[in-house]
Amino acid sequence: PLLLALLLLAALLGALGFSALRRHTYAPSASAPLVRLSTDLPPPLPPAPKPATDTCMLFVTRSMSLTKVRRTLFSAQQRFNNRFAHPLVLLSDQPFDAQFQQTVRLMLGANASVAFGLIEESDWGYPAWIDRARAEHAADNWVDAHDDEDDAGGRPGYRHMLRYWAAPFADHPLLAGCTYLWRLEPGAHFTCDLPRDPLARMRSQNTAYAFSVALTEMPDAAPSLVPVARDFISAHPELFTDAANNSLAWLFDRRSAKNGGEQCRFLTNSELIDLRFVRSDAYRKLFAYVDRLGVFYYERWSDATVRALAVAMFLPATRVQWLDDVGYRHDRLNNCPQPEAIQMRCTCDPLKSSHLLPMACSAGWPNSTHAASESVFAIDPHLV
């Protein structure tokens, strides 16, 4: 009887509580203001442009990285390339297995353009003039100095990859018809929908290089950078863009007073390149010069080091662009657009964008894209 009485009491209290909840929750108050959702939603995406014939997207990877490639490719397709239809090229120093190729083809669809290529042994390995014992010793010292046995900088294959991305990649036969290239990094992803095509913007604005993130170089990564740059300029003054237009002040001087001489570099795992720049006589001479010095193996030079130096020396700032309106993330680094109009198409946190970090150089670039008329979010009929 006691248990039955308690159950009846609980049921009565529950009914009373539910009745009160209905009265207080659903009965509108005459004095309470109505809350309306904003109607300032982003406009629908413009019609897809005609596929370009001189663009491409490029992975340099291996079959073992399929999961990372899938993540990046899915992101790229969903955010922009299912509309722009840039051809995809995947290169490796090892043949891609059947599962890798089949998975990529299925992700892109039957009508997509995709090609798988093998990197020549001469482009992926120690050059003949490199002292391998010295190179291995330098790599071991790098790992020891950074207290990280898993640091990729200690692996020969990683050094080969950095050297390959510095210049040889541009001459692969599968890229012969490509002028404007979008580099894709396995594991990276894009955080904003892109109504307009950044590669089309490059063409229309005569941009030679575009980047997402720029940071200061690690102090001990390229200790010879300044003297090498000075010596190369002295040896080839005819290649040097005049001081009024080059970006050497951004590369060296801007950060030196604040960070003890550190140099800026582009995060090259997210870059757009006019390949005519990398294939130019000036760029080839610079690469050959630093390559003969062995800096990819005796120091910790990377493709980012070479790219930043070449951009700073050979291109006027007006032909280089910070992609501040393209949401991108790789590992802990990211670029998140700041304008609210762009944020409505993004999933990133603008307060955590890497350009706000103390070691960032991105915001100092003189040719950003915040102006609405320059943004890939602007509706520009000339880009279609």
Side-chain angles (χ1 to χ4, degrees):
L2 179 60
L3 179 59
L4 180 60
L6 290 175
L7 290 175
L8 290 174
L9 179 61
L12 178 62
L13 291 176
L16 291 174
F18 179 72
S19 177
L21 179 63
R22 290 184 60 187
R23 288 196 306 274
H24 292 289
T25 303
Y26 296 103
S29 169
S31 60
L34 293 176
V35 177
R36 300 184 183 275
L37 293 175
S38 172
T39 58
D40 297 329
L41 299 177
L45 294 176
K50 294 181 180 180
T53 59
D54 59 350
T55 63
C56 65
M57 302 189 304
L58 175 62
F59 276 111
V60 173
T61 185
R62 289 175 175 173
S63 296
M64 68 177 67
S65 298
L66 176 58
T67 300
K68 291 183 177 181
V69 169
R70 288 174 55 194
R71 178 186 183 188
T72 303
L73 191 55
F74 180 84
S75 174
Q77 290 297 112
Q78 291 294 314
R79 291 299 193 180
F80 58 88
N81 204 49
N82 57 353
R83 299 180 59 252
F84 305 142
H86 297 302
L88 177 66
V89 177
L90 300 99
L91 303 179
S92 179
D93 64 314
Q94 303 171 359
F96 290 112
D97 61 38
Q99 180 186 0
F100 184 95
Q101 296 187 46
Q102 181 182 25
T103 301
V104 171
R105 292 186 188 278
L106 288 174
M107 290 189 68
L108 293 178
N111 297 325
S113 173
V114 57
F116 302 89
L118 193 62
I119 298 171
E120 294 288 340
E121 291 184 11
S122 58
D123 290 331
W124 191 284
Y126 291 108
W129 57 85
I130 294 297
D131 182 337
R132 296 195 182 189
R134 179 184 173 188
E136 292 171 1
H137 181 69
D140 291 341
N141 286 343
W142 175 266
V143 174
D144 292 341
H146 292 81
D147 193 28
D148 186 356
E149 294 180 358
D150 295 325
D151 181 24
R155 298 196 300 265
Y158 186 73
R159 299 296 182 102
H160 300 333
M161 182 193 69
L162 297 180
R163 178 179 178 270
Y164 184 73
W165 267 120
F169 79 95
D171 293 322
H172 194 282
L174 290 180
L175 299 180
C178 181
T179 301
Y180 299 98
L181 178 143
W182 193 322
R183 175 174 174 175
L184 299 179
E185 186 74 11
H189 66 282
F190 299 90
T191 57
C192 302
D193 290 338
L194 301 183
R196 294 293 168 180
D197 184 3
L199 289 179
R201 179 174 63 188
M202 286 190 75
R203 184 191 300 106
S204 68
Q205 296 182 356
N206 193 31
T207 299
Y209 187 79
F211 65 95
S212 293
V213 179
L215 303 171
T216 50
E217 182 68 271
M218 292 175 284
D220 54 345
S224 66
L225 178 58
V226 173
V228 165
R230 185 184 299 116
D231 292 345
F232 180 82
I233 291 172
S234 298
H236 299 281
E238 75 282 1
L239 303 177
F240 182 55
T241 301
D242 64 273
N245 292 319
N246 69 59
S247 307
L248 287 172
W250 173 85
L251 179 65
F252 294 115
D253 298 340
R254 177 183 173 274
R255 307 295 302 191
S256 60
K258 190 174 182 179
N259 293 299
E262 295 177 358
Q263 295 88 34
C264 289
R265 61 184 172 93
F266 305 115
L267 193 69
T268 49
N269 55 40
S270 176
E271 59 182 353
L272 278 60
I273 310 171
D274 183 337
L275 289 179
R276 291 172 295 189
F277 168 56
V278 180
R279 295 164 179 161
S280 66
D281 180 62
Y283 192 105
R284 291 185 188 279
K285 286 183 177 179
L286 174 63
F287 174 74
Y289 185 84
V290 301
D291 196 27
R292 293 293 303 189
L293 295 175
V295 292
F296 298 105
Y297 300 99
Y298 304 148
E299 296 183 15
R300 182 55 170 74
W301 281 50
S302 68
D303 55 311
T305 315
V306 176
R307 201 90 78 234
L309 183 57
V311 166
M313 290 197 299
F314 304 141
L315 294 177
T318 53
R319 298 199 63 204
V320 184
Q321 197 166 64
W322 171 29
L323 299 170
D324 54 354
D325 56 350
V326 176
Y328 173 82
R329 171 174 288 278
H330 180 255
D331 293 337
R332 292 173 293 178
L333 298 174
N334 79 99
N335 183 75
C336 187
Q338 302 296 295
E340 291 184 4
I342 299 178
Q343 272 292 313
M344 289 188 291
R345 295 193 187 275
C346 301
T347 59
C348 56
D349 184 347
L351 298 180
K352 295 182 179 179
S353 182
S354 293
H355 81 277
L356 301 174
L357 296 172
M359 72 286 293
C361 303
S362 306
W365 189 257
N367 192 31
S368 68
T369 61
H370 274 146
S373 62
E374 303 297 324
S375 174
V376 292
F377 286 84
I379 305 301
D380 183 354
H382 298 295
L383 297 185
V384 177

